[in-house]
Amino acid sequence: MRLGTVRVGESRLAAVEREGHWYALEVSASTPLEAVLASGAGRVARLAASATEPIEGAVPVAPLRPGKIVAIGLNYLDHIREAGMDRPERPLMFAKFPSSVIGPGEEIVVDDELTERVDWEVELAAVIGSPPQARRREGGPGGDRGIHRGQRRLRP
């Protein structure tokens, strides 16, 4: 079982995938997956278990629409050596546009006028659902939403 967002025509729906089929979660069609997840693990489990209406023509898209993406670069020695750079005092932090997130199988669009060569790299992405300060006050990691594989294309 996995939760996700699917596109059916022009609509985006929060859904659950079981055994290769997508089922609509019983929430308003305008409710994004982020809001479903924020409603708590118990409610999410109940919605997933009770989803019985298969979605015909469902196409998986980016499951979440992040408000911001903060990335860490040059954080392991092999990568630094591979890039031919000096080891920084600390890893580099940089931002990415939320529109850079795409769904499984979606085409990565590269403008040939902006670059001559494109490389690829696989990333590990942690999805955090609440600010770290709130998690500390509440005594735990309750706002964390999971670890995901990310992939990005790089211009060497």
Side-chain angles (χ1 to χ4, degrees):
M1 175 191 86
R2 67 179 170 152
L3 296 171
T5 301
V6 295
R7 184 180 64 240
V8 180
E10 295 299 313
S11 299
R12 291 173 57 100
L13 305 171
V16 60
E17 185 266 339
R18 290 190 302 263
E19 300 175 13
H21 300 283
W22 287 98
Y23 299 87
L25 297 182
E26 293 184 31
V27 295
S28 138
S30 63
T31 304
L33 184 58
E34 295 94 317
V36 174
L37 295 173
S39 70
R43 181 165 187 259
V44 170
R46 286 190 299 279
L47 286 169
S50 66
T52 58
E53 191 67 36
I55 306 172
E56 296 300 320
V59 177
V61 296
L64 303 173
R65 294 180 177 173
K68 64 184 131 211
I69 301 171
V70 179
I72 308 287
L74 297 180
N75 54 330
Y76 61 97
L77 199 50
D78 285 347
H79 187 204
I80 296 166
R81 288 180 182 141
E82 184 180 278
M85 301 179 78
D86 292 331
R87 185 177 186 173
E89 246 183 74
R90 61 183 66 95
L92 303 174
M93 291 184 70
F94 59 95
K96 297 183 73 73
F97 289 106
S99 61
S100 67
V101 175
I102 62 173
E106 287 186 88
E107 183 179 350
I108 299 171
V109 179
V110 178
D111 188 337
D112 292 335
E113 292 182 21
L114 298 177
T115 188
E116 294 177 8
R117 185 174 142 202
V118 176
D119 199 358
W120 65 274
E121 185 174 295
V122 175
E123 307 287 351
L124 180 67
V127 178
I128 300 173
S130 63
Q133 300 86 343
R135 291 196 310 276
R136 276 197 298 273
R137 278 194 307 273
E138 296 163 10
D144 295 345
R145 298 291 183 230
I147 303 294
H148 304 273
R149 175 189 54 86
Q151 186 169 334
R152 66 181 178 140
R153 296 185 96 172
L154 303 171
R155 290 172 185 78

